[in-house]
Amino acid sequence: MTDLWWKQAVVYQIYPRSFADTDGDGMGDLRGIIGHLDYLAGLGVDVIWLSPVYPSPQDDNGYDISDYQNIEPVFGTLEIFDELLAGVHDRGMKLIMDLVVNHSSDEHPWFVESRSSTAAAKRDWYWWRPAREGLEPGTPGAEPTNWGSVFGGPAWAYDAASGEYYLHLFSTKQPDLNWENAEVRGAIYAMMRWWLDRGVDGFRMDVINMISKVVDAETGALPDGRLPAGQAYADGSASFINGPRLHEFLQEMHREVVAGRGELLTVGEMPGVTVDEAVLLTDPTRGEVDMVFQFDHVWADRGADPWVLYPLRLTTLKAIFGRWQAGLAEVGWNSLYWNNHDQPRVVSRFGDDGEYRVRSAMMLGTVLHLHRGTPYVYQGEEIGMTNAPFHTIADFRDIEALGQYQQAITLEGRTPEEVLSVLRARGRDNARTPMQWDASPQAGFTTGTPWLAVNPNHTEINAAAAVADPDSVYHYYRKLIELRHTEPVVVDGDFTMLLPLDERLYAFTRRLGDTMLLVVGNFTGETVRAEIDDAATWASAELVLTNAAAPPPDDLTLGPWQAVVYRRTV
Ligand code: TEU
């Protein structure tokens, strides 16, 4: 059996703000999570990942942290956190924290001190730079580089009191920490050890491949980026994605924090990471991270123009997963996800959230979970939650949606309707509508007014109904998770993609020793026959799982959105 415990694990992500509210303020809280631990244990997941629960001004819903060693009062207290952790451990599960250390909040005492004067002891803990040479500080275009921030506007904020700018790759309230400074790194490692000493089981590391910036050793300058036509700001990512000291920093973190502590899990969120980088990052002998979140597959339906919806080509999606499966086959490990708090709901994005919602949600789950890697389930995915109906920009709460909308309309000449059509389909608030527990007016999420509107379809799509229905997405996910726990080929088997040029079917085999699995998913609403090479060898295979009436294994005619999994001995 497998050597590393997390290869057999399934992780469940909780976005605490939207999970369950017990005090009626419209925001989820830790007691709400405690109240649903039996539900999660029933699903069979091994690890819970908590999105940030630390004190925060909530500019980016907690990804702007003002105190790394405490709990946001809206969510609870450290005592309640300990109770939650004990409840998780009592049920045989583990809990990992979100680690957001590319940036802090501008209200963190570190930044408050850093901005207090150019001579402050912590001035160098953040990226302070003068205006572009020859330009008047604080005027448009005088920013130290031409980079745009992810949430719209420039990546630099002007601080009039000191006459300098600070770098913020995300919002102005999320100044980037300066990882070049060893004291910064030491403070972060000490904080991480404090959480591990408290009993947590690891970390999901936010945009951790952005911590090392390309900086001129002599002048300290950061380079300009490429300015795409029609866009207000440049893409600076070449200067901070997978930067020159990334591996060094992660190895140091591993040594100082993680090494020798037993069964932990570390996963680095890494937009723009390549397969080659991931091999190095997840090679256990190098001591960096256990796995990474890559973004290629969730960018598969993006194109050159950010405000155009490009349809998914299944061949593109398969080429991406195939590349990652092959690239990490010998060394390293994949993480597998469709959803998180930044992505639209997968059943709306790649499935059919109408007539075939249940079936397509099951098919998508099957295909993902039977890849080689550690699957992540995002709250509500296990009941097939869908995108939400957003009408106007006033319906959105996400700083990214609001900031990008503003920039596109005011600086880039876009029409509200073209921007809205993309935000409705892809906006992050789709994932953040409250968890749908039951059919009652606020879906059992809160007795108050939810911070973001509950999806009206909760009357039909909710956890109570799903748990009560043996044919629900919930019970199907439960079986998928159980299969990973009981069938070694799911964990350790090798992976071979079939039918790479087929735009309708996703097919692959897994093999470990003399056991083989065949997995086929129909990504369309039509009946499709799979022309598998040597189909006859599957004639007496055993059906492991399907979401519709099963065809004979050697004549695979799949119904709309059907998935089939067969097993045979070779
Ligand atoms: O997200 C990283 C990231 O790259 C996001 O910009 C994401 O790709 C984009 O928003 C998708 O539309 C992480 C967190 O997951 C996200 O919630 C935070 O806002 C961000 O970092 C800053 O901490």
Side-chain angles (χ1 to χ4, degrees):
M1 201 48 215
T2 190
D3 48 337
L4 293 159
W5 71 272
W6 34 258
K7 291 190 174 178
Q8 209 185 1
V10 177
V11 184
Y12 187 94
Q13 181 191 354
I14 291 180
Y15 196 64
R17 195 183 166 94
S18 303
F19 194 63
D21 174 24
T22 55
D23 58 8
D25 65 359
M27 298 253 255
D29 46 49
L30 297 185
R31 288 232 175 273
I33 302 173
I34 292 173
H36 290 289
L37 286 178
D38 286 333
Y39 169 84
L40 299 175
L43 185 60
V45 296
D46 305 276
V47 182
I48 294 170
W49 148 29
L50 282 190
S51 274
V53 290
Y54 315 94
S56 161
Q58 301 288 324
D59 189 49
D60 185 18
N61 293 359
Y63 283 87
D64 49 317
I65 297 168
S66 52
D67 180 354
Y68 287 108
Q69 292 178 213
N70 212 332
I71 298 293
E72 163 62 39
V74 168
F75 294 145
T77 61
L78 276 171
E79 288 62 43
I80 303 174
F81 177 85
D82 289 340
E83 211 181 299
L84 167 62
L85 186 57
V88 170
H89 287 161
D90 285 348
R91 289 166 179 80
M93 300 185 286
K94 296 182 187 287
L95 186 139
I96 66 171
M97 300 294 276
D98 218 306
L99 180 81
V100 189
V101 290
N102 172 70
H103 43 267
S104 71
S105 165
D106 67 336
E107 297 182 34
H108 193 291
W110 294 344
F111 187 76
V112 172
E113 191 198 326
S114 182
R115 89 181 307 167
S116 66
S117 119
T118 52
K122 289 195 167 59
R123 184 67 169 180
D124 183 53
W125 280 41
Y126 295 84
W127 293 90
W128 290 98
R129 291 293 182 276
R132 192 178 285 274
E133 220 174 295
L135 291 179
E136 179 61 23
T139 60
E143 293 86 10
T145 71
N146 60 358
W147 307 350
S149 83
V150 175
F151 298 154
W156 297 92
Y158 183 57
D159 177 56
S162 65
E164 290 187 334
Y165 292 81
Y166 65 87
L167 176 67
H168 60 90
L169 295 181
F170 294 89
S171 98
T172 53
K173 291 184 66 61
Q174 293 168 302
D176 281 52
L177 280 157
N178 177 15
W179 277 71
E180 299 293 317
N181 184 316
E183 279 177 35
V184 170
R185 304 199 301 274
I188 291 169
Y189 304 153
M191 173 272 284
M192 293 173 74
R193 287 190 295 262
W194 184 86
W195 281 105
L196 294 178
D197 290 344
R198 208 166 187 101
V200 310
D201 303 292
F203 300 97
R204 172 272 186 188
M205 303 173 180
D206 193 66
V207 290
I208 202 72
N209 67 331
M210 301 190 187
I211 58 178
S212 166
K213 274 82 172 167
V214 173
V215 49
D216 187 298
E218 266 165 33
T219 64
L222 297 155
D224 273 337
R226 196 183 56 85
L227 187 61
Q231 292 187 25
Y233 300 99
D235 172 11
S237 59
S239 301
F240 55 77
I241 296 276
N242 310 326
R245 299 184 70 187
L246 177 62
H247 297 290
E248 175 198 336
F249 292 159
L250 289 177
Q251 285 172 9
E252 180 183 72
M253 177 193 282
H254 190 273
R255 262 195 328 270
E256 299 272 328
V257 178
V258 173
R261 286 218 185 222
E263 295 201 338
L264 302 183
L265 169 61
T266 58
V267 48
E269 188 214 24
M270 303 202 180
V273 69
T274 62
V275 175
D276 290 347
E277 280 291 333
V279 172
L280 300 175
L281 290 156
T282 66
D283 176 349
T285 66
R286 290 170 56 90
E288 298 189 20
V289 291
D290 295 328
M291 58 190 91
V292 304
F293 290 135
Q294 56 86 17
F295 279 63
D296 292 344
H297 67 298
V298 292
W299 289 345
D301 56 1
R302 280 198 342 188
D305 187 334
W307 300 116
V308 169
L309 283 176
Y310 297 84
L312 175 75
R313 287 178 65 100
L314 187 61
T315 47
T316 306
L317 191 70
K318 291 191 290 188
I320 290 167
F321 275 118
R323 205 157 39 76
W324 279 90
Q325 291 286 302
L328 298 183
E330 303 298 329
V331 174
W333 192 247
N334 273 292
S335 69
L336 306 167
Y337 71 95
W338 288 130
N339 277 117
N340 58 42
H341 63 293
D342 295 333
Q343 298 297 328
R345 293 285 180 178
V346 71
V347 69
S348 300
R349 185 184 204 174
F350 297 151
D352 173 358
D353 63 9
E355 182 185 355
Y356 290 113
R357 181 186 67 83
V358 168
R359 247 215 238 171
S360 63
M362 291 171 173
M363 186 281 292
L364 289 161
T366 311
V367 166
L368 189 80
H369 281 241
L370 292 176
H371 278 71
R372 190 164 190 270
T374 299
Y376 287 70
V377 178
Y378 175 69
Q379 66 184 45
E381 178 182 342
E382 78 283 10
I383 58 169
M385 277 178 62
T386 68
N387 279 356
F390 296 106
H391 301 292
T392 71
I393 191 67
D395 295 334
F396 291 88
R397 296 287 173 276
D398 176 19
I399 184 170
E400 175 172 89
L402 303 178
Q404 292 183 349
Y405 179 88
Q406 181 66 19
Q407 176 174 316
I409 305 285
T410 59
L411 298 180
E412 296 171 347
R414 302 298 185 140
T415 65
E417 202 35 54
E418 70 182 320
V419 176
L420 278 171
S421 70
V422 174
L423 291 179
R424 286 186 195 113
R426 303 281 154 76
R428 309 196 297 183
D429 280 336
N430 283 301
R432 301 175 179 186
T433 61
M435 176 69 185
Q436 295 166 204
W437 293 107
D438 60 38
S440 68
Q442 297 300 351
F445 166 70
T446 182
T447 54
T449 306
W451 71 273
L452 176 66
V454 165
N455 193 321
N457 67 18
H458 71 276
T459 50
E460 185 204 336
I461 306 170
N462 62 70
V467 170
D469 173 6
D471 297 324
S472 66
V473 180
Y474 175 86
H475 288 291
Y476 193 90
Y477 262 69
R478 201 174 48 68
K479 286 180 210 156
L480 278 173
I481 294 165
E482 191 179 289
L483 190 59
R484 173 164 295 267
H485 292 153
T486 54
E487 179 53 87
V489 65
V490 174
V491 178
D492 286 318
D494 63 15
F495 178 99
T496 305
M497 189 72 82
L498 308 178
L499 310 178
L501 303 180
D502 193 308
E503 286 295 354
R504 301 180 298 175
L505 297 173
Y506 198 127
F508 55 89
T509 57
R510 303 287 310 278
R511 180 173 178 168
L512 182 70
D514 58 5
T515 305
M516 256 185 116
L517 293 183
L518 171 65
V519 182
V520 189
N522 180 358
F523 269 69
T524 77
E526 278 110 56
T527 297
V528 184
R529 187 167 190 279
E531 306 288 347
I532 303 284
D533 281 349
D534 53 30
T537 60
W538 290 91
S540 56
E542 169 200 357
L543 178 71
V544 178
L545 203 59
T546 187
N547 56 350
D554 53 349
D555 175 16
L556 288 178
T557 303
L558 269 62
W561 301 103
Q562 184 168 13
V564 290
V565 182
Y566 291 100
R567 175 174 42 213
R568 71 181 171 103
T569 306
V570 278

